Amino acid sequence: MKKSFLQLFGILAVTASFLTSCSSDSNNETPSSTFVVDANNFQGTIKDGEVILSASTTYKLTGKLQVNAGATLTIPAGTKIEGTGGTASYIAVSQGGKINVNGTSANPVIMTSGLVTKKAGDWGGLVICGKAPINRVTGGTSTAQSEVADLTYGGTIANDNSGSIRYLRIEYAGAAFNSEKEFNGVSLFAVGSGTVFEYVEAYHGADDGFEFFGGTVNTSNLISYGNEDDQFDWTEGWMGTNTNWYGKLAFGKGNRGIEADNFELGFANTPLSNPSITNITLIGAGIAADATIYTENQAMKMRRGTRGILSNVVLSDFKTGIDVEHDETIAGVGTSLKASNVNFSTIPTKTKGKKTDATSADVTAVATESATATGAGNGVSAPTWASGWSVGL
């Protein structure tokens, strides 16, 4: 009798424990989103919960897809999203929203044009807005509206988290509203250091490959190939830590490898743009390229007060290697603005400086040379880490 009572007590205890566990798990589950996915008309606003796409489905991005605060968009390896509709077709992540791109080297996530004949500017691109500092007002406490997607960005949360992006390829983006307003392949507005951003390629876009508008996001293993303006661009006080960048122009299109500003309306505004980049290769279209096409044939244009520390650099086939402009920028040359271990390959003018009053300045201290620099890993050739998931190299 005693034995039977103990057995019954044990069963009841285990059952109670199981029920409690199930109740606890249920309370911790991510709620299903009210957003309804239509793969053939993929657009709308994700307002809550988590939307998980299917790798076996091709999604036709026909308009704006926006991820609001408190919501998450998760994209598994191998998923393809095809955009049409020019400036009306893009993916935007609002402050407080998250995007998780879970690609792999063997199965990257691909965001591309949905047109039969694909070309730069067929759709918008990817826009992410965070709460990290920007310098539109000195002190880094300001907010602003993004130039595309019209979303608020900026704030005081340096480690803000907008999700995790790995092994993503963005093709034929960069649709333009006009000559002054257009999408980049990826636009990172005040994105914080809590965000993971690595193994991403911007391919044949109509504007910049990657542009950083302030923020503190760190990156690694980025490829910008054949984009029709600059391959990499930063402004508004961006301060990320970066490694392994590879940028290459395609003949007939494109300007600079890097265009770097502090802030165009306040060259001394704080926080200063001051990223670090280790292992970078930038390849131009050749020093004899048609001057009517390549009016800004510079590997790096450092201006408007930017800072930056670069190391292990390969620059090839540009007329000018590092062009430094404006007094506030020149003030940092050799200390807070410098490139060490630079291999200038077919670069007739290695450094060039111009003061705010347009007179020339000696900025040779901006670079130290090394013939053995490997850049992104393989000199001017495609790095091994690009194998399997990138195109064009």
Side-chain angles (χ1 to χ4, degrees), residues 284-291 297 316-320 345-349:
I287 60 174
D290 188 337
N297 198 328
S316 177
D317 289 320
F318 287 95
K319 290 182 180 179
T320 302
S345 174
T346 320
I347 304 279
T349 302

mmCIF file of all heavy atoms in Angstrom, residues 284-291 297 316-320 345-349:
data_model
loop_
_atom_site.group_PDB
_atom_site.id
_atom_site.type_symbol
_atom_site.label_atom_id
_atom_site.label_comp_id
_atom_site.label_asym_id
_atom_site.label_seq_id
_atom_site.Cartn_x
_atom_site.Cartn_y
_atom_site.Cartn_z
ATOM 1 N N GLY A 284 39.919 49.758 -60.031
ATOM 2 C CA GLY A 284 39.235 50.658 -60.941
ATOM 3 C C GLY A 284 39.092 50.091 -62.329
ATOM 4 O O GLY A 284 39.316 48.899 -62.580
ATOM 5 N N ALA A 285 38.738 50.971 -63.262
ATOM 6 C CA ALA A 285 38.516 50.542 -64.645
ATOM 7 C C ALA A 285 39.713 50.820 -65.539
ATOM 8 O O ALA A 285 39.665 50.564 -66.738
ATOM 9 C CB ALA A 285 37.290 51.250 -65.205
ATOM 10 N N GLY A 286 40.806 51.329 -64.950
ATOM 11 C CA GLY A 286 41.998 51.601 -65.735
ATOM 12 C C GLY A 286 42.279 53.080 -65.821
ATOM 13 O O GLY A 286 41.356 53.906 -65.889
ATOM 14 N N ILE A 287 43.543 53.442 -65.835
ATOM 15 C CA ILE A 287 43.909 54.857 -65.815
ATOM 16 C C ILE A 287 43.641 55.544 -67.147
ATOM 17 O O ILE A 287 43.564 56.767 -67.220
ATOM 18 C CB ILE A 287 45.394 55.033 -65.431
ATOM 19 C CG1 ILE A 287 46.308 54.316 -66.433
ATOM 20 C CG2 ILE A 287 45.635 54.517 -64.028
ATOM 21 C CD1 ILE A 287 47.775 54.570 -66.196
ATOM 22 N N ALA A 288 43.486 54.762 -68.203
ATOM 23 C CA ALA A 288 43.219 55.353 -69.512
ATOM 24 C C ALA A 288 41.731 55.375 -69.837
ATOM 25 O O ALA A 288 41.339 55.634 -70.967
ATOM 26 C CB ALA A 288 43.967 54.577 -70.597
ATOM 27 N N ALA A 289 40.892 55.105 -68.852
ATOM 28 C CA ALA A 289 39.455 55.070 -69.082
ATOM 29 C C ALA A 289 38.955 56.423 -69.578
ATOM 30 O O ALA A 289 39.496 57.465 -69.245
ATOM 31 C CB ALA A 289 38.737 54.689 -67.794
ATOM 32 N N ASP A 290 37.926 56.386 -70.378
ATOM 33 C CA ASP A 290 37.346 57.575 -70.985
ATOM 34 C C ASP A 290 37.010 58.610 -69.909
ATOM 35 O O ASP A 290 36.196 58.356 -69.017
ATOM 36 C CB ASP A 290 36.080 57.176 -71.738
ATOM 37 C CG ASP A 290 35.499 58.316 -72.569
ATOM 38 O OD1 ASP A 290 35.780 59.493 -72.261
ATOM 39 O OD2 ASP A 290 34.758 58.024 -73.517
ATOM 40 N N ALA A 291 37.583 59.789 -70.014
ATOM 41 C CA ALA A 291 37.388 60.825 -68.996
ATOM 42 C C ALA A 291 35.946 61.307 -68.937
ATOM 43 O O ALA A 291 35.492 61.826 -67.921
ATOM 44 C CB ALA A 291 38.311 62.008 -69.269
ATOM 45 N N ASN A 297 37.943 59.451 -61.056
ATOM 46 C CA ASN A 297 38.700 58.207 -61.115
ATOM 47 C C ASN A 297 39.673 58.122 -59.927
ATOM 48 O O ASN A 297 40.878 58.280 -60.071
ATOM 49 C CB ASN A 297 39.462 58.156 -62.444
ATOM 50 C CG ASN A 297 39.904 56.760 -62.798
ATOM 51 O OD1 ASN A 297 40.205 55.947 -61.932
ATOM 52 N ND2 ASN A 297 39.957 56.474 -64.098
ATOM 53 N N SER A 316 44.291 49.485 -57.255
ATOM 54 C CA SER A 316 44.752 49.169 -58.606
ATOM 55 C C SER A 316 43.877 49.843 -59.654
ATOM 56 O O SER A 316 42.654 49.913 -59.520
ATOM 57 C CB SER A 316 44.712 47.652 -58.819
ATOM 58 O OG SER A 316 45.096 47.313 -60.135
ATOM 59 N N ASP A 317 44.546 50.350 -60.723
ATOM 60 C CA ASP A 317 43.867 50.820 -61.930
ATOM 61 C C ASP A 317 42.938 52.009 -61.711
ATOM 62 O O ASP A 317 41.881 52.102 -62.320
ATOM 63 C CB ASP A 317 43.110 49.676 -62.607
ATOM 64 C CG ASP A 317 44.049 48.672 -63.255
ATOM 65 O OD1 ASP A 317 45.057 49.104 -63.846
ATOM 66 O OD2 ASP A 317 43.791 47.463 -63.154
ATOM 67 N N PHE A 318 43.327 52.912 -60.844
ATOM 68 C CA PHE A 318 42.694 54.225 -60.723
ATOM 69 C C PHE A 318 43.728 55.289 -61.084
ATOM 70 O O PHE A 318 44.935 55.081 -60.899
ATOM 71 C CB PHE A 318 42.208 54.479 -59.293
ATOM 72 C CG PHE A 318 40.992 53.716 -58.880
ATOM 73 C CD1 PHE A 318 41.113 52.514 -58.192
ATOM 74 C CD2 PHE A 318 39.719 54.193 -59.159
ATOM 75 C CE1 PHE A 318 39.987 51.806 -57.785
ATOM 76 C CE2 PHE A 318 38.589 53.497 -58.757
ATOM 77 C CZ PHE A 318 38.724 52.297 -58.071
ATOM 78 N N LYS A 319 43.277 56.446 -61.549
ATOM 79 C CA LYS A 319 44.211 57.535 -61.834
ATOM 80 C C LYS A 319 44.821 58.083 -60.547
ATOM 81 O O LYS A 319 45.992 58.463 -60.523
ATOM 82 C CB LYS A 319 43.493 58.654 -62.601
ATOM 83 C CG LYS A 319 43.126 58.276 -64.031
ATOM 84 C CD LYS A 319 42.456 59.440 -64.751
ATOM 85 C CE LYS A 319 42.101 59.057 -66.183
ATOM 86 N NZ LYS A 319 41.418 60.159 -66.903
ATOM 87 N N THR A 320 44.013 58.153 -59.496
ATOM 88 C CA THR A 320 44.488 58.658 -58.205
ATOM 89 C C THR A 320 44.184 57.619 -57.138
ATOM 90 O O THR A 320 43.096 57.032 -57.111
ATOM 91 C CB THR A 320 43.794 59.982 -57.838
ATOM 92 O OG1 THR A 320 44.038 60.934 -58.875
ATOM 93 C CG2 THR A 320 44.312 60.527 -56.516
ATOM 94 N N SER A 345 49.044 49.720 -57.252
ATOM 95 C CA SER A 345 49.302 48.986 -58.484
ATOM 96 C C SER A 345 48.668 49.724 -59.659
ATOM 97 O O SER A 345 47.443 49.840 -59.748
ATOM 98 C CB SER A 345 48.709 47.571 -58.378
ATOM 99 O OG SER A 345 48.828 46.889 -59.603
ATOM 100 N N THR A 346 49.503 50.224 -60.562
ATOM 101 C CA THR A 346 49.044 51.018 -61.706
ATOM 102 C C THR A 346 48.210 52.201 -61.232
ATOM 103 O O THR A 346 47.057 52.405 -61.633
ATOM 104 C CB THR A 346 48.238 50.147 -62.707
ATOM 105 O OG1 THR A 346 48.836 48.868 -62.842
ATOM 106 C CG2 THR A 346 48.199 50.810 -64.077
ATOM 107 N N ILE A 347 48.808 52.983 -60.362
ATOM 108 C CA ILE A 347 48.198 54.210 -59.827
ATOM 109 C C ILE A 347 49.196 55.339 -60.070
ATOM 110 O O ILE A 347 50.154 55.510 -59.317
ATOM 111 C CB ILE A 347 47.913 54.092 -58.318
ATOM 112 C CG1 ILE A 347 47.049 52.882 -58.005
ATOM 113 C CG2 ILE A 347 47.286 55.387 -57.790
ATOM 114 C CD1 ILE A 347 45.575 53.040 -58.216
ATOM 115 N N PRO A 348 49.053 56.135 -61.130
ATOM 116 C CA PRO A 348 50.052 57.167 -61.423
ATOM 117 C C PRO A 348 50.162 58.253 -60.362
ATOM 118 O O PRO A 348 51.257 58.743 -60.089
ATOM 119 C CB PRO A 348 49.579 57.746 -62.766
ATOM 120 C CG PRO A 348 48.166 57.323 -62.910
ATOM 121 C CD PRO A 348 48.020 56.046 -62.167
ATOM 122 N N THR A 349 49.049 58.655 -59.752
ATOM 123 C CA THR A 349 49.078 59.641 -58.680
ATOM 124 C C THR A 349 48.645 58.948 -57.393
ATOM 125 O O THR A 349 47.464 58.659 -57.209
ATOM 126 C CB THR A 349 48.141 60.824 -58.976
ATOM 127 O OG1 THR A 349 48.522 61.431 -60.225
ATOM 128 C CG2 THR A 349 48.199 61.854 -57.866
#
